[in-house]
Amino acid sequence: MSVNLLDFDAKGLAGFFTEIGEKPFRARQLLRWIHRCGQADFGGMSDLAKELRDKLAATAVIESPHVISDHAAADGTRKWLLSVGADNGIETVYIPEANRGTLCISSQVGCALACTFCSTGRQGFNRNLTVSEIIGQLWWANKALAGAFGGESVRDRAVTNVVMMGMGEPLANFENVVTALDLMLDDNAYGLSRRRVTVSTSGLIPAMDRLRERCPVALAVSLHAPNDALRDQLVPINKKYPIKELLAACERYLQSAPRDFVTFEYVMLDGINDSVAHARELVQLVRHTPCKFNLIPFNPFPNSGYKRSLPGAVSSFRDVLMQAGLVTTVRKTRGDDIAAACGQLAGKVHDKTRRGSRGSMEVAR
Ligand code: SAH
Ligand code: SF4
């Protein structure tokens, strides 16, 4: 079977070159062809010797997951459903803004953490994505958005920011995610700054500590509740890693982080976690943690059992945080017409756990 070179970061590629009897430094040239130029055809890598190109063509491929569907929303948001084999699909979303283009990447097929308001969580867990399936989303998006961008052009890449906020819990697929992050940051690959790459986690504390040591990028933490009783219900992993310990882990993380604050994500659920009293409790809770808040109006999906908070509740909640000096943004709902918002990235998961006897399902959109 051929080796997929999208599975390797710089170190891995150098190791592969040694294995096939080539000089490891050649790997750098290859890395640039693959990731900076989006080249998938060894024949087009003009500065590599013909023998090396032939050898690579005989042993390796450069292959991202293939696209099942491609939707463009009226506001410019793009969503791709990518096939990851065996009846599974994952979603990748591109969100253009005036001064940046953000790609929202998936890390797992499904998710085991079962947050009650999350469509991915409702589907159960199938498997971790491989490195090529994770970085392949970025590789593919840059190609699709720019057209095939030959040569050494990197400046005009469409994707300037990456958020690991698609399907799955990135820190539950630690090694593969870190290898993909290495490539995002590598100057010979995507050259993104640590500040422009964000990992979002529901709060896997030991993995947050490992990320801090291995690859500190910007951190977003899905808080969603101001106390353990409520968070236990919404984010069940809270029973294992409760809020006080989570906040301490955030503070440790900040010692190495490229930004001097953590972003707390807070999904606004009507009548559940969105009162002014909840906002006041939250202000007290985070008073020692340098942070910003991102309020996410709940994105409904069939049979979720939740409703989106009313606009008035969102603004009153935001005002309490802002008056306490906490920088707070309300996430704009983008790509509404193509179900591209957070928590709607349902893709298609063949659920091995058969949670709720759903088996294989595609969430209606
Ligand atoms: N597993 C990671 C990252 C993926 S989810 C995490 O939980 O942080 C990205 C964000 O979308 C998280 O903050 C998550 O809680 C939020 N989210 C999930 N379902 C949602 C929904 N239906 N509406 C709004 N936000 C949702
Ligand atoms: Fe998993 Fe994140 Fe969804 Fe929770 S919110 S189930 S951690 S993807």
Side-chain angles (χ1 to χ4, degrees):
M1 219 180 85
S2 294
V3 176
N4 188 352
L5 299 186
L6 285 185
D7 274 316
F8 295 132
D9 62 3
K11 218 169 122 210
L13 207 53
F16 170 71
F17 266 49
T18 309
E19 238 170 65
I20 62 168
E22 295 290 334
K23 295 267 178 297
F25 72 85
R26 293 252 168 247
R28 195 170 67 105
Q29 268 169 292
L30 193 63
L31 202 67
R32 292 165 75 103
W33 275 115
I34 298 172
H35 297 284
R36 291 181 68 153
C37 309
Q39 181 61 269
D41 177 4
F42 297 111
M45 300 182 178
S46 48
D47 61 354
L48 296 186
K50 171 93 172 53
E51 300 81 75
L52 176 54
R53 283 186 265 155
D54 291 346
K55 195 177 195 178
L56 288 171
T59 48
V61 292
I62 298 163
E63 238 170 48
S64 68
H66 76 259
V67 175
I68 301 171
S69 67
D70 177 350
H71 297 279
D75 64 7
T77 301
R78 281 278 283 276
K79 180 174 79 167
W80 296 278
L81 178 64
L82 305 175
S83 166
V84 288
D87 210 17
N88 288 315
I90 50 154
E91 290 181 332
T92 304
V93 177
Y94 176 70
I95 306 146
E97 284 169 286
N99 53 354
R100 64 182 170 193
T102 303
L103 194 69
C104 180
I105 288 187
S106 295
S107 56
Q108 298 184 306
V109 185
C111 181
L113 299 182
C115 300
T116 51
F117 53 83
C118 172
S119 168
T120 307
R122 288 281 183 99
Q123 295 181 72
F125 175 68
N126 187 290
R127 69 171 174 86
N128 283 329
L129 294 182
T130 62
V131 176
S132 55
E133 289 166 340
I134 300 169
I135 204 67
Q137 298 170 62
L138 178 55
W139 185 82
W140 164 259
N142 271 318
K143 276 170 77 91
L145 292 162
F149 53 93
E152 281 283 288
S153 69
V154 10
R155 304 256 170 264
D156 51 355
R157 285 230 185 93
V159 179
T160 62
N161 293 54
V162 170
V163 293
M164 301 290 309
M165 292 185 187
M167 297 170 68
E169 167 53 51
L171 295 186
N173 182 12
F174 190 85
E175 289 303 328
N176 292 349
V177 165
V178 166
T179 304
L181 294 175
D182 281 344
L183 282 165
M184 292 173 203
L185 304 179
D186 192 326
D187 279 339
N188 291 311
Y190 299 91
L192 299 177
S193 90
R194 289 178 190 281
R195 302 159 62 87
R196 289 177 174 270
V197 176
T198 302
V199 165
S200 173
T201 180
S202 55
L204 301 184
I205 293 176
M208 286 167 66
D209 286 326
R210 283 163 69 206
L211 187 69
R212 170 170 71 98
E213 283 160 21
R214 285 277 298 279
C215 190
V217 291
L219 183 70
V221 172
S222 293
L223 194 54
H224 304 319
N227 59 61
D228 283 322
L230 185 52
R231 195 164 189 268
D232 281 352
Q233 286 173 34
L234 301 176
V235 184
I237 196 68
N238 192 66
K239 292 179 199 139
K240 191 163 178 195
Y241 301 121
I243 294 179
K244 195 162 164 250
E245 290 168 32
L246 179 58
L247 295 181
C250 291
E251 283 154 36
R252 286 197 295 281
Y253 193 89
L254 286 177
Q255 292 163 13
S256 319
R259 293 187 182 268
D260 53 8
F261 60 89
V262 168
T263 303
F264 286 127
E265 294 160 283
Y266 196 100
V267 63
M268 300 292 293
L269 301 164
D270 180 40
I272 305 283
N273 66 352
D274 65 346
S275 71
V276 163
H278 287 126
R280 293 204 178 109
E281 200 180 347
L282 205 52
V283 167
Q284 281 309 307
L285 183 74
V286 301
R287 64 189 185 283
H288 299 305
T289 313
C291 63
K292 293 187 180 176
F293 271 86
N294 194 350
L295 306 180
I296 316 174
F298 171 64
N299 289 305
F301 54 92
N303 306 319
S304 74
Y306 292 110
K307 284 191 296 197
R308 179 181 287 188
S309 298
L310 298 169
V314 177
S315 48
S316 306
F317 197 97
R318 183 198 54 203
D319 290 348
V320 173
L321 300 186
M322 301 260 279
Q323 275 154 22
L326 295 166
V327 174
T328 305
T329 51
V330 178
R331 189 170 297 172
K332 274 184 277 164
T333 312
R334 298 286 305 258
D336 254 353
D337 45 339
I338 56 168
C342 290
Q344 287 177 323
L345 301 186
K348 193 177 182 197
V349 178
H350 184 73
D351 182 1
K352 278 194 200 142
T353 65
R354 308 245 157 206
R355 181 179 295 140
S357 70
R358 272 192 197 87
S360 174
M361 61 172 267
E362 184 162 27
V363 166
R365 47 174 66 85

